[in-house]
């Protein structure tokens, strides 16, 4: 029986993108090369608890969120429909618009926080 694997790297990437950080910025914050940081996002590096905590602090999220990221919880998406097929399209603009709006709000809040940090506000 296979043990389920955690996709911590995928989760780190999702939060990094949500926060608007580049791979280069994350690598710099973690004192890693961009290549070494990329290995984290590609799940090629086994992370220690202390490294996950460090990443969580940089991304300003709880460590448990990185370990158990669920987009539906973050964005409160409850009615996603997935249609499988070669020519199928999912026309669910409400969910897409909700996601975009919350993503924009998160980026604007982080932008303001960063401006305050560098004294622009």
């Amino acid at each position: 029986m296979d043990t389920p694997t955690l996709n911590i790297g995928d989760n780190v990437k999702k939060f990094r993108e949500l926060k608007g950080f580049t791979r280069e910025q994350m690598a710099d914050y973690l004192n890693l090369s961009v290549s070494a940081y990329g290995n984290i996002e590609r799940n090629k590096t086994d992370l220690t608890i202390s490294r996950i905590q460090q990443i969580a602090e940089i991304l300003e999220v709880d460590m448990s969120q990185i370990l158990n990221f669920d987009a539906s919880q973050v964005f409160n998406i409850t009615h996603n429909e997935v249609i499988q097929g070669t020519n199928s399209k999912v026309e669910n603009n409400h969910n897409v618009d909700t996601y975009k709006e919350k993503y924009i709000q998160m980026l604007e809040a982080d932008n303001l926080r960063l401006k305050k940090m560098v004294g622009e506000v």
Side-chain angles (χ1 to χ4, degrees), residues 2-73:
D2 291 332
T3 305
T5 58
L6 294 174
N7 290 318
I8 295 171
D10 295 337
N11 296 343
V12 168
K13 180 179 179 180
K14 289 172 188 172
F15 276 112
R16 174 185 61 78
E17 290 173 343
L18 287 172
K19 293 293 185 170
F21 292 146
T22 65
R23 287 181 197 88
E24 292 79 10
Q25 287 171 313
M26 289 298 294
D28 187 49
Y29 294 146
L30 295 167
N31 293 319
L32 297 172
S33 69
V34 175
S35 175
Y37 175 76
N39 285 336
I40 291 173
E41 286 192 359
R42 289 188 296 278
N43 292 305
K44 291 184 177 184
T45 300
D46 289 330
L47 296 172
T48 63
I49 295 297
S50 61
R51 180 63 88 183
I52 295 170
Q53 183 61 42
Q54 184 182 19
I55 292 169
E57 288 173 6
I58 292 166
L59 296 173
E60 297 181 324
V61 297
D62 291 333
M63 190 168 70
S64 62
Q65 289 178 286
I66 289 177
L67 296 173
N68 301 303
F69 180 82
D70 181 353
S72 67
Q73 290 177 354

Side-chain angles (χ1 to χ4, degrees), residues 79-103:
H79 300 294
N80 256 352
E81 296 178 10
V82 178
I83 301 172
Q84 296 181 358
T86 56
N87 294 323
S88 297
K89 286 187 177 181
V90 177
E91 304 249 340
N92 198 341
N93 291 333
H94 175 69
N95 286 339
V96 171
D97 290 343
T98 300
Y99 176 88
K100 281 184 193 177
E101 188 61 33
K102 290 188 179 192
Y103 182 68

Side-chain angles (χ1 to χ4, degrees), residues 17-20 103-112:
E17 290 173 343
L18 287 172
K19 293 293 185 170
Y103 182 68
I104 289 168
Q105 289 172 357
M106 180 182 283
L107 290 175
E108 287 173 343
D110 281 346
N111 191 25
L112 181 60

